[in-house]
Amino acid sequence: MLRVGSAVACMACRNLVSPNMGVRFRMPLQKLHPLSRAIHHRYNASVTPPHCSAARHFTSMSRLPMQPPKPPPGGHGGWRYQQHRNFWMLRLASRLLKLRYIVLGSAVGGGYTAKKTYEEWKDMLPDMGEYIWVIPDFFWELSKQIDLDKLTKMLPELVEIAKFLPELPDLDKIGENFTFLKSILFTAEAPGDTPVKAATDAPVTATPEASGKQFRKSSDKEKVDQLQEELLRTQMKYQRMLERLEKENKELRKVVLQKDEKGIHQRKVKKSLIDMYSEVLDILSDFDSNYNTQDHLPRVVVVGDQSAGKTSVLEMIAQARIFPRGSGEMMTRSPVKVTLSEGPHHVAMFKDSSREFDLGKEEDLAALRHEIELRMRKSVKEGQTVSPETISLSVKGPGIQRMVLVDLPGVISTVTAGMATDTKETIFGISKNYMQNPNAIILCIQDGSVDAERSIVTDLVSQMDPHGKRTIFVLTKVDLAEKNLASPNRIQQIVEGKLFPMKALGYFAVVTGKGSAGESIDSIKDYEEDFFQNSRLLRDGMLKAHQVTTKNLSLAVSDCFWKMVRESVEQQADAFKASRFNLETEWKNNYPRLRELDRNELFEKAKNEILDEVISLSQVTPKHWEAILQKKLWERVSTHVIENIYLPAAQTMNSGTFNTTVDIKLKQWTDKQLPHKALEVAWETLQEEFARFMAEYKGKDQDDIFDKLKEAVKDESIKRHKWNETAMDSLRVIQHNTLEDRSITDKPQWDAAIQFMEETLQARLKDTDSVINDMAGPYWKQRWMSWTSRSPEQHICNETKKELERLLKLHEDHTAYLANDEVTTVRKNLEGRGVDVDPVLIKDTWHQLYRRHFLQKALHHCNLCRRGFYYYQRQFVDSELECNDVVLFWRIQRMLLITANTLRQQLINTEVRRLEKNVKEVLEDFGEDNERKVHLITGRRVQLAEDLKKVREIQEKLEAFIEALHEEK
């Protein structure tokens, strides 16, 4: 043992170690504290500074040198202590520390490799999470609600089973051949010895073992039945608890929604997701693009055979009996889109109506069913049974699952009497059109009370969705199926997907009432719950609890619907974005200087132009109206005046007879024909002026795309316009009084009458000459100049004309008609020249020749009467000149002038305004009739603008819906 003294250590060491403390060391003190010496000796001036490596060699992270360092010269102990130093233990420790890091690195690398391998194996496994929605949530919570340890303890032990076997002999006394049975029933100490192995080692005694097995099987079966019944009771108990909690939650949500509706929170209430989504579908239903941008947005398509219970399932999901009902007849005649959403009140509303139907009142329910039936019948065109036109309906209420369903007409196998011949094909076409959407959820409804072989819709569904990735199968009328079917296993085969040649995501069995139209939704729910609670289908395990009731069905359909929406809506938004780019590019290239006006905007523009034209009609001057009316009225009545009044009166012998004949004929004409003719002329004039203004309207934005619309508006307005017939009586009185006046007050009026008479007679004479030339053929000059010749008929007529002209030249005062002997004379004279002529031709030719002769004499007499106003004032006393025919034409001219003035006043003051009102009504009717607008405003430009507007609207609404969907998520 060495004792440390003051002479052994330095001052620092002396401070650390007391000189009186004895410590046993195997080596000198200097070897135990070199680090201390390295730290503290530098403060001692009398001590030589130690080598710097003294501290470095003893750090755990440094590498030890192979040779010890040289000792410093001099110092305390010097060579005596340094030569005894040995560092082999430190070298070994450093090697071990290096090995630690190697092992640690290997462990980390191996763990990472194992984790990566595990992740690869995990990715190779199929994702079973997609099918979790089929099982209700409460099924996963059974382990939390049911004490499994308690159920395990309730199972009988083997010893307790042995107690129920008093008749068996004592197993200990049977011998070694039955030791394996004893070990199984009592001890079970050798778990490695299986009963099969024991049975091979020992012989079997028949009677005791057989009786024991039989009793054990019966006892186990009873226990299993008891446990199954206990499980069903527990499940129904928690099911009722869930329903009670959901009912309370429904009432609380209703209260909250009502508060939000009243504005208690003073916040802006946004549209619900399902309402936003339904708006997009409504726009898409009217979208018709030439780029074939297909509607692949999800919706739940309800298909099934006729009378399979489709409508009843929808009513159970909507929690209201909203559809019209019939016994065995087709009630769904067109697709009905039902948007289900949650709201404080149970109400229904059509897309194009603001009326709300309270589904809690039977009166509103009846009115809603009647309205749906009326809309279906209106949508069906004549000669058809079903229609592809969609009826859009929204239903809101507390606790309703959010989704969009489309109820389609039931699939039929035979066209019955009263149906259109193509009804079956039309229904198949409508169903395929909806089901071919790759994102549509197909809700296949099958009647469970009929034979499966009679199903038609299952084949159709299997064609559209062969892998069953978007099909949910629903078996209805399970109560009747259980009652009627001899083999309940058939129902199990259906709900397990083993009977029908189709696949589905899930299979459900529901009961939709007892078949009575007066059942309420609550009574149907109670009946359904009672049926499945007591049904042996559920008790025997043929049906699973999550596969029954319409409530579980609605939850599963809603989850599947929203899953499909989240997966496909962004892809659809991108498709419409690309379609919008294509349409905008086409518009930019074809119509660079025109605004993008859709059909409604173009109609409003055309409406303003038409109304401006109608207003311009009221700005027509009175002078223009009267000139047009007077001209057209004379054109209408001139033939009657000349042929029926003037010519007969001119055949009289004296002026008294002439005036009497004129007065009588004018009175008859005024009473029967003249007012009607005047009103017809006025009405035609109004139509012509209206058409002229619409045709000649020149505006800055004149567009030929409106021509068809303007023509339709003009025709419809004129068709609706009826002239005020009460003005006819007053017009008749005015005309009668005007024609009875014979007093010409001044010379200008006399000259105007002379001019009117001369113009009329000259026009008639010109027409008569034209008729005669057509009858006789061209003259010699025309024949030579135009290289034409007379026909045989014209040659005969020309010879007849010459013979009659000789007769008329001999008798200038001849009457208007030829006598029979004169006709015979003319005929014989023509036959003497070799011309065979018909007497009728002679009379017709004479009529025209005498008419020309009379008009020539009347014109000559008119020229003589130019200076007869003086004799007229003296009433033609002591004068051979009588100008009564001039007075007649003055009366006719004055009647035309006053009648035109009267009609002009009625046009401006009444009829133009009424026409303007009719035009406005027609435009309003056209504006409400979309089909008429589509027919009247057509063209690629209009269609392109329509598509652009709808694509933009769809894209904006889809983007808003996606944003709201992400916020909710």
Side-chain angles (χ1 to χ4, degrees):
M1 181 183 70
L2 297 176
R3 182 175 298 275
V4 180
S6 59
V8 178
C10 61
M11 292 298 296
C13 300
R14 190 179 298 113
N15 294 331
L16 294 173
V17 182
S18 175
N20 299 324
M21 178 171 49
V23 185
R24 293 178 181 271
F25 293 97
R26 293 182 181 180
M27 58 186 66
L29 180 64
Q30 287 83 350
K31 296 183 180 180
L32 296 178
H33 59 280
L35 185 61
S36 300
R37 291 191 299 112
I39 296 174
H40 297 285
H41 286 185
R42 59 182 180 145
Y43 295 102
N44 191 356
S46 62
V47 179
T48 305
H51 197 274
C52 62
S53 64
R56 180 174 61 85
H57 294 330
F58 288 89
T59 60
S60 60
M61 301 300 295
S62 62
R63 183 177 180 88
L64 296 176
M66 298 301 295
Q67 298 293 333
K70 295 181 178 182
H76 301 279
W79 289 103
R80 187 178 55 183
Y81 296 103
Q82 291 296 330
Q83 63 185 358
H84 295 288
R85 292 178 181 176
N86 193 353
F87 298 101
W88 63 273
M89 295 183 64
L90 297 178
R91 293 189 188 98
L92 180 61
S94 67
R95 299 300 189 277
L96 293 175
L97 289 176
K98 180 187 293 185
L99 181 62
R100 178 186 65 182
Y101 292 114
I102 294 174
V103 172
L104 180 61
S106 301
V108 172
Y112 174 75
T113 304
K115 181 179 179 183
K116 186 176 181 181
T117 305
Y118 169 73
E119 293 293 338
E120 291 178 354
W121 288 355
K122 184 178 178 182
D123 294 338
M124 292 171 60
L125 295 176
D127 187 9
M128 302 302 293
E130 297 181 358
Y131 304 97
I132 294 179
W133 62 270
V134 179
I135 303 176
D137 295 338
F138 73 86
F139 183 81
W140 304 105
E141 299 176 358
L142 287 178
S143 60
K144 301 179 182 179
Q145 305 294 336
I146 300 175
D147 192 354
L148 298 179
D149 295 336
K150 183 177 179 181
L151 291 176
T152 305
K153 293 178 181 178
M154 292 175 62
L155 295 174
E157 299 291 341
L158 296 177
V159 178
E160 295 179 1
I161 294 176
K163 293 179 182 179
F164 292 99
L165 306 174
E167 297 179 359
L168 292 177
D170 190 1
L171 298 178
D172 294 332
K173 298 179 181 181
I174 292 178
E176 295 179 358
N177 294 331
F178 297 97
T179 55
F180 75 98
L181 185 60
K182 177 182 176 182
S183 63
I184 292 174
L185 295 176
F186 294 97
T187 60
E189 293 178 356
D193 295 332
T194 61
V196 177
K197 181 179 179 181
T200 58
D201 295 338
V204 179
T205 303
T207 305
E209 185 178 7
S211 60
K213 286 184 178 181
Q214 183 179 3
F215 186 84
R216 183 172 58 192
K217 287 181 180 180
S218 61
S219 177
D220 291 344
K221 184 177 181 181
E222 292 177 358
K223 286 293 183 179
V224 170
D225 292 341
Q226 291 178 2
L227 289 174
Q228 191 171 2
E229 291 179 0
E230 180 67 24
L231 182 62
L232 288 175
R233 285 195 296 270
T234 306
Q235 182 179 351
M236 298 305 299
K237 173 184 176 182
Y238 286 108
Q239 184 70 21
R240 286 192 292 270
M241 292 175 60
L242 286 174
E243 290 178 356
R244 180 175 57 81
L245 292 175
E246 287 177 356
K247 186 176 181 181
E248 294 177 358
N249 185 27
K250 179 179 176 181
E251 296 295 332
L252 291 175
R253 288 180 65 84
K254 182 177 180 180
V255 173
V256 172
L257 291 172
Q258 286 176 345
K259 289 182 178 180
D260 289 343
E261 205 175 49
K262 294 178 181 178
I264 293 178
H265 298 291
Q266 298 295 329
R267 62 183 178 86
K268 184 179 180 181
V269 181
K270 296 182 179 179
K271 284 187 177 180
S272 64
L273 276 176
I274 194 64
D275 290 336
M276 298 170 66
Y277 187 75
S278 180
E279 288 181 358
V280 175
L281 295 182
D282 289 336
I283 299 172
L284 283 172
S285 63
D286 300 330
F287 181 60
D288 180 20
S289 175
N290 290 337
Y291 287 94
N292 295 324
T293 303
Q294 298 180 357
D295 173 16
H296 288 168
L297 288 175
R299 72 259 289 157
V300 181
V301 180
V302 186
V303 295
D305 297 334
Q306 185 177 349
S307 302
K310 299 186 292 74
T311 302
S312 300
V313 172
L314 260 68
E315 288 179 340
M316 292 294 293
I317 295 175
Q319 301 181 13
R321 311 205 72 173
I322 57 178
F323 292 102
R325 313 190 69 81
S327 57
E329 60 177 332
M330 180 181 292
M331 298 305 298
T332 306
R333 297 180 178 271
S334 63
V336 181
K337 182 177 75 69
V338 183
T339 303
L340 301 179
S341 60
E342 194 172 15
H345 306 291
H346 203 186
V347 295
M349 182 187 300
F350 290 99
K351 179 187 72 172
D352 54 355
S353 175
S354 60
R355 178 185 177 183
E356 282 189 350
F357 296 89
D358 189 352
L359 302 182
K361 298 179 180 179
E362 188 59 35
E363 297 82 3
D364 284 12
L365 275 173
L368 177 60
R369 290 192 289 266
H370 180 68
E371 181 66 21
I372 293 177
E373 186 175 2
L374 285 179
R375 287 174 179 259
M376 286 184 181
R377 295 188 182 278
K378 288 181 180 179
S379 65
V380 176
K381 297 180 180 179
E382 186 177 356
Q384 296 181 350
T385 306
V386 293
S387 170
E389 184 178 346
T390 304
I391 299 174
S392 182
L393 178 70
S394 63
V395 178
K396 296 183 179 181
I400 295 180
Q401 298 298 320
R402 304 177 302 169
M403 67 185 89
V404 177
L405 302 103
V406 181
D407 185 19
L408 300 180
V411 179
I412 62 175
S413 59
T414 305
V415 177
T416 59
M419 292 184 179
T421 56
D422 61 342
T423 302
K424 180 179 177 181
E425 290 75 14
T426 304
I427 294 176
F428 269 83
I430 294 173
S431 302
K432 288 182 179 180
N433 185 34
Y434 277 92
M435 287 192 294
Q436 70 184 2
N437 179 1
N439 298 321
I441 308 299
I442 302 175
L443 195 62
C444 180
I445 309 298
Q446 174 62 36
D447 189 352
S449 63
V450 300
D451 296 335
E453 291 76 12
R454 296 169 55 186
S455 176
I456 306 173
V457 71
T458 51
D459 293 336
L460 181 61
V461 173
S462 63
Q463 293 175 9
M464 305 308 296
D465 185 22
H467 302 291
K469 294 183 179 180
R470 51 189 181 91
T471 301
I472 298 177
F473 183 86
V474 182
L475 186 67
T476 60
K477 306 178 184 179
V478 183
D479 52 344
L480 299 178
E482 184 185 26
K483 181 179 179 181
N484 298 334
L485 291 180
S487 176
N489 294 330
R490 197 170 177 83
I491 299 178
Q492 184 179 5
Q493 292 178 353
I494 293 176
V495 297
E496 288 179 356
K498 299 178 180 179
L499 188 61
F500 289 109
M502 59 169 288
K503 299 178 181 179
L505 285 174
Y507 296 84
F508 291 87
V510 298
V511 175
T512 55
K514 301 178 182 179
S516 175
E519 287 182 293
S520 64
I521 296 296
D522 294 334
S523 63
I524 295 175
K525 285 183 178 180
D526 296 338
Y527 174 73
E528 184 183 37
E529 181 179 350
D530 294 340
F531 168 77
F532 284 115
Q533 186 175 359
N534 301 321
S535 174
R536 64 191 181 97
L537 296 173
L538 194 63
R539 186 172 60 250
D540 295 344
M542 297 182 185
L543 294 177
K544 303 299 186 295
H546 64 273
Q547 289 182 308
V548 298
T549 71
T550 51
K551 183 173 184 179
N552 290 336
L553 171 64
S554 63
L555 290 171
V557 174
S558 179
D559 291 342
C560 189
F561 168 75
W562 284 107
K563 181 176 180 295
M564 190 70 76
V565 167
R566 291 185 177 93
E567 291 176 354
S568 61
V569 67
E570 293 187 359
Q571 182 180 1
Q572 288 296 300
D574 294 339
F576 280 104
K577 185 176 181 181
S579 177
R580 174 180 176 178
F581 175 79
N582 295 337
L583 294 173
E584 289 177 345
T585 303
E586 182 180 357
W587 182 277
K588 191 181 299 182
N589 293 330
N590 295 329
Y591 311 102
R593 299 183 180 180
L594 296 177
R595 290 190 301 143
E596 297 176 6
L597 300 179
D598 60 6
R599 186 171 281 107
N600 292 329
E601 293 171 339
L602 287 172
F603 179 81
E604 291 298 324
K605 182 180 177 181
K607 178 180 177 180
N608 295 330
E609 288 188 8
I610 294 172
L611 292 177
D612 291 342
E613 294 165 8
V614 175
I615 293 175
S616 300
L617 188 63
S618 62
Q619 304 299 321
V620 178
T621 60
K623 183 178 180 180
H624 180 73
W625 278 119
E626 291 183 7
I628 296 175
L629 289 170
Q630 187 173 353
K631 180 181 178 182
K632 293 184 70 68
L633 182 59
W634 176 241
E635 291 176 357
R636 183 66 57 86
V637 302
S638 59
T639 302
H640 180 82
V641 171
I642 299 298
E643 301 294 335
N644 299 328
I645 298 177
Y646 177 58
L647 287 178
Q651 302 301 320
T652 59
M653 302 303 296
N654 49 52
S655 61
T657 308
F658 178 87
N659 292 331
T660 302
T661 304
V662 167
D663 292 342
I664 294 174
K665 290 185 177 294
L666 288 176
K667 179 68 168 58
Q668 294 175 352
W669 184 44
T670 306
D671 292 339
K672 296 180 179 180
Q673 299 181 10
L674 184 58
H676 295 281
K677 295 290 184 181
L679 292 182
E680 289 177 3
V681 167
W683 178 223
E684 291 176 2
T685 303
L686 179 61
Q687 295 181 36
E688 292 176 1
E689 289 298 305
F690 180 49
R692 182 177 66 84
F693 269 89
M694 294 188 70
E696 296 179 357
Y697 181 78
K698 301 295 182 181
K700 295 181 180 180
D701 298 328
Q702 176 68 18
D703 201 335
D704 56 358
I705 202 172
F706 301 143
D707 294 344
K708 196 173 182 180
L709 175 62
K710 290 182 178 181
E711 189 68 22
V713 171
K714 182 195 72 174
D715 296 341
E716 185 65 22
S717 301
I718 292 173
K719 182 179 178 181
R720 294 186 183 185
H721 186 79
K722 293 183 179 180
W723 197 274
N724 188 7
E725 298 293 339
T726 57
M728 185 179 296
D729 296 334
S730 60
L731 181 61
R732 180 182 290 108
V733 174
I734 294 173
Q735 291 174 340
H736 182 71
N737 294 334
T738 303
L739 291 174
E740 284 187 349
D741 187 11
R742 301 181 184 177
S743 58
I744 303 176
T745 56
D746 51 13
K747 186 69 165 55
Q749 292 184 10
W750 181 269
D751 294 338
I754 295 267
Q755 184 180 359
F756 175 61
M757 178 180 175
E758 185 177 8
E759 292 176 355
T760 302
L761 295 177
Q762 287 178 353
R764 291 292 168 176
L765 180 60
K766 184 178 180 180
D767 295 339
T768 304
D769 289 335
S770 177
V771 173
I772 294 173
N773 291 334
D774 292 338
M775 293 175 64
Y779 292 102
W780 65 270
K781 184 177 181 181
Q782 294 176 348
R783 292 198 301 270
W784 282 100
M785 296 295 294
S786 304
W787 291 88
T788 57
S789 61
R790 293 189 180 122
S791 64
E793 292 81 7
Q794 290 177 341
H795 177 71
I796 295 173
C797 186
N798 184 53
E799 295 297 329
T800 306
K801 180 177 75 73
K802 291 179 180 179
E803 186 65 26
L804 292 175
E805 285 178 347
R806 294 190 191 97
L807 177 62
L808 191 58
K809 192 173 184 180
L810 294 174
H811 305 280
E812 292 184 358
D813 296 332
H814 200 286
T815 60
Y817 302 99
L818 280 175
N820 292 331
D821 55 348
E822 292 176 332
V823 173
T824 303
T825 303
V826 172
R827 181 180 181 185
K828 288 182 179 182
N829 293 337
L830 292 173
E831 288 177 354
R833 294 201 300 267
V835 179
D836 188 11
V837 64
D838 187 19
V840 177
L841 179 60
I842 296 174
K843 291 181 180 180
D844 292 341
T845 307
W846 170 258
H847 176 73
Q848 298 298 330
L849 292 176
Y850 181 81
R851 182 186 182 86
R852 184 178 62 178
H853 174 70
F854 172 79
L855 292 175
Q856 290 174 350
K857 288 177 59 177
L859 280 173
H860 178 70
H861 182 70
C862 181
N863 290 327
L864 294 177
C865 290
R866 290 182 181 276
R867 50 186 177 84
F869 180 68
Y870 171 75
Y871 299 103
Y872 166 77
Q873 288 179 332
R874 298 181 59 185
Q875 297 181 359
F876 302 105
V877 177
D878 299 333
S879 174
E880 295 181 357
L881 183 63
E882 294 182 357
C883 298
N884 295 313
D885 50 357
V886 177
V887 177
L888 171 62
F889 277 92
W890 177 82
R891 294 164 68 181
I892 297 296
Q893 185 184 30
R894 183 170 176 80
M895 182 273 299
L896 293 175
L897 182 62
I898 294 178
T899 302
N901 182 269
T902 304
L903 294 175
R904 187 266 306 169
Q905 294 180 19
Q906 186 175 358
L907 282 172
I908 295 177
N909 299 333
T910 306
E911 302 303 330
V912 171
R913 295 180 181 177
R914 291 180 60 214
L915 180 62
E916 182 179 354
K917 182 179 179 181
N918 290 337
V919 170
K920 291 181 180 179
E921 292 177 356
V922 170
L923 289 172
E924 290 177 0
D925 293 343
F926 283 6
E928 296 175 357
D929 191 351
N930 290 327
E931 293 184 1
R932 191 183 290 266
K933 283 195 294 186
V934 170
H935 176 69
L936 295 176
I937 304 178
T938 58
R940 179 56 190 161
R941 168 185 159 194
V942 183
Q943 187 64 46
L944 187 59
E946 284 281 307
D947 292 346
L948 264 173
K949 179 181 178 182
K950 289 183 179 179
V951 167
R952 289 190 182 117
E953 187 177 3
I954 291 170
Q955 184 185 359
E956 292 173 0
K957 289 186 178 296
L958 276 178
E959 291 176 353
F961 172 75
I962 293 172
E963 183 180 357
L965 191 65
H966 290 327
E967 290 178 359
E968 186 186 57
K969 184 177 180 181

